Amino acid sequence: AYDFIEKPFNIDQLLVVITRAMETSRLRRENSELRRKDVVSAEMIGSSTAFRTLKSQLDKVTKSNGRVMLSGPAGSGKEIAARYIHAYSNRANAPFISVNSASIEPERMEEVLFGREAGAFTGAQTRQIGRFEVADGTSIFLDEIGDLPLEVQVNLLRVLQNKSFERVGGNETIRSDFRVIAATHHDLARLVQKNKFRADLYFRLNVFPIQV
């Protein structure tokens, strides 16, 4: 049951209700399909001592909302580990949001993360919703966090502290309830020593460190 119609009914009203019911049904199917894909992509198979140790660590953080830092060489499976955490978390019914810091041009990073308002800069003709806004109620995976520009690190720190931000070119405060899972192949502690990564951001992200 989606809604009710009073008799005698108006045909236009009936069509609107039916259209809304069909759209709701479509969204539910899409969410269910995304959930199924997340679970499938998060399947982890292995029996070695190292694998069992890793899986045990991941299981301990799935039900928490604490931030997780996954470290390990490229190709070791950090994104699979992140998807596993999400798939068995209390946010699993929402899609997994992923951002690869290394694949985004530095000048577009804030726009991608926080969104932009129409007219924010030349060529910005429409509003764009950022990934942190999309991640409201779910997990956001910040891959290759060590490649994040220093100027963006400042803004990310503020977002983690306040769970709020403004779109580029806007002044409206956007609030979002997200869980951050970060990953890097860098030695972030060494980058901190070299002043290439903010120490305060490192400690904010490194709540549950897990080596993959």
Side-chain angles (χ1 to χ4, degrees), residues 143-155:
D143 198 8
E144 299 303 346
I145 192 72
D147 294 315
L148 205 64
L150 281 170
E151 59 271 21
V152 181
Q153 291 180 28
V154 177
N155 292 332

Side-chain angles (χ1 to χ4, degrees), residues 166-182:
E166 295 81 38
R167 301 188 189 102
V168 176
N171 52 25
E172 177 189 359
T173 299
I174 310 296
R175 300 196 178 278
S176 183
D177 174 28
F178 52 80
R179 181 192 189 178
V180 171
I181 305 171

Side-chain angles (χ1 to χ4, degrees), residues 57-83:
Q57 291 175 322
L58 296 177
D59 286 336
K60 290 178 181 178
V61 301
T62 54
K63 301 305 180 186
S64 165
N65 281 319
R67 301 176 193 120
V68 180
M69 174 65 74
L70 302 169
S71 58
S76 57
K78 296 186 291 297
E79 182 170 351
I80 295 176
R83 288 183 179 275

Side-chain angles (χ1 to χ4, degrees), residues 74-90:
S76 57
K78 296 186 291 297
E79 182 170 351
I80 295 176
R83 288 183 179 275
Y84 180 90
I85 293 171
H86 172 72
Y88 294 95
S89 74
N90 55 11

Side-chain angles (χ1 to χ4, degrees), residues 136-164:
D136 186 25
T138 188
S139 309
I140 182 168
F141 176 53
L142 302 178
D143 198 8
E144 299 303 346
I145 192 72
D147 294 315
L148 205 64
L150 281 170
E151 59 271 21
V152 181
Q153 291 180 28
V154 177
N155 292 332
L156 177 57
L157 178 65
R158 188 169 63 249
V159 172
L160 295 181
Q161 290 172 334
N162 303 326
K163 288 292 185 82
S164 64

